[in-house]
Amino acid sequence: MKKVNFSLENYNSYGVKATCREAVFPESIDEIRHFISEPSSFYIIGSGNNIILSKAYYDERFLIFN
């Protein structure tokens, strides 16, 4: 599943208000392969307990695992 201009507030343990250009929630290994094969920068996050978001807007894509 792909979402555009996605709020990351619920995906970091401090609840920092931040938005990313695109968030992808992979549902299969093939979706992950497709995502990482595209030539653009991206971040990979899980529960967000080990990150601190420092910007209000990220013009990158996020691959999010719940």
Side-chain angles (χ1 to χ4, degrees):
M1 174 177 28
K2 184 187 299 187
K3 297 187 178 195
V4 178
N5 291 323
F6 184 75
S7 172
L8 297 167
E9 186 173 357
N10 293 326
Y11 293 89
N12 70 90
S13 58
Y14 290 103
V16 174
K17 293 182 181 178
T19 302
C20 66
R21 176 173 49 100
E22 180 181 299
V24 175
F25 297 84
E27 296 177 358
S28 68
I29 295 296
D30 288 335
E31 286 183 13
I32 295 169
R33 286 184 183 129
H34 181 281
F35 181 88
I36 63 176
S37 70
E38 295 177 0
S40 67
S41 61
F42 62 88
Y43 294 97
I44 298 174
I45 63 173
S47 62
N49 290 328
N50 60 345
I51 63 169
I52 297 176
L53 301 171
S54 61
K55 301 188 290 187
Y57 183 77
Y58 288 84
D59 195 26
E60 291 86 11
R61 302 177 320 146
F62 277 65
L63 183 63
I64 301 176
F65 294 92
N66 287 334

